[in-house]
Amino acid sequence: MDAPRTHTATRSPLQLAARITGIVFLLVGVLGFIPGITSNVDQLALAGHQSDAMLLGIFEVSILHNIVHLLFGIAGLAMSRTWTGARNFLIGGGIVYLLFWLYGLMVPHDSSANFVPFNTADNWLHLFLGLGMVGLGLALSRRHAATSRY
């Protein structure tokens, strides 16, 4: 009898980065619902700037905000299964977060247009997260493109 074969899929650094990013998004989405990690969970609103729940006491969150994190996490895990998907997740998701940053800068925090909601800490996080995701996507995909030409 032949010994059973085990298949170990090797993920590229790009896929690994997308997978880890997805896991972090999932974790943040779940933590946004946990009392103690999120203060004022009893005041967690569906959406809007009226939500007084604060993840880690810093980032304003709502049910919608947490769901966005969960959906990004699911997308990251699903898209990390392929090299192209991982690249698209990191670069495309990073661009989305840069758009969130711009939106957060333009919309007053006490406005009904601030429906996710975002506060100043969220805006800074979105800037760094967007730059980091795009940077990872570009840097890690360049290495693959350079080695796959030969």
Side-chain angles (χ1 to χ4, degrees):
M1 281 192 142
D2 292 333
R5 293 183 196 183
T6 58
H7 177 69
T8 57
T10 55
R11 297 201 194 291
S12 70
L14 179 73
Q15 289 173 277
L16 183 60
R19 185 172 191 79
I20 291 169
T21 303
I23 291 168
V24 170
F25 274 119
L26 280 174
L27 182 63
V28 168
V30 169
L31 293 176
F33 292 108
I34 298 178
I37 295 172
T38 299
S39 58
N40 304 321
V41 173
D42 58 327
Q43 297 173 22
L44 188 67
L46 175 62
H49 67 280
Q50 301 89 352
S51 183
D52 289 327
M54 302 290 280
L55 178 62
L56 303 173
I58 300 170
F59 305 103
E60 188 173 6
V61 292
S62 66
I63 294 171
L64 176 62
H65 201 150
N66 292 335
I67 289 172
V68 168
H69 291 141
L70 292 170
L71 291 174
F72 258 86
I74 292 167
L77 291 178
M79 294 177 79
S80 72
R81 297 174 74 186
T82 67
W83 186 91
T84 303
R87 182 178 189 273
N88 290 341
F89 170 71
L90 288 171
I91 295 173
I95 290 169
V96 168
Y97 269 86
L98 289 172
L99 293 173
F100 285 162
W101 169 66
L102 289 173
Y103 185 81
L105 290 179
M106 293 188 298
V107 173
H109 293 231
D110 58 351
S111 166
S112 60
N114 187 14
F115 62 94
V116 174
F118 300 143
N119 64 10
T120 302
D122 288 307
N123 291 340
W124 282 106
L125 180 62
H126 293 157
L127 172 62
F128 293 122
L129 185 59
L131 291 173
M133 288 176 71
V134 170
L136 275 172
L138 291 174
L140 295 175
S141 62
R142 286 180 66 189
R143 189 176 320 161
H144 176 77
T147 59
S148 64
R149 289 185 188 161
Y150 302 104

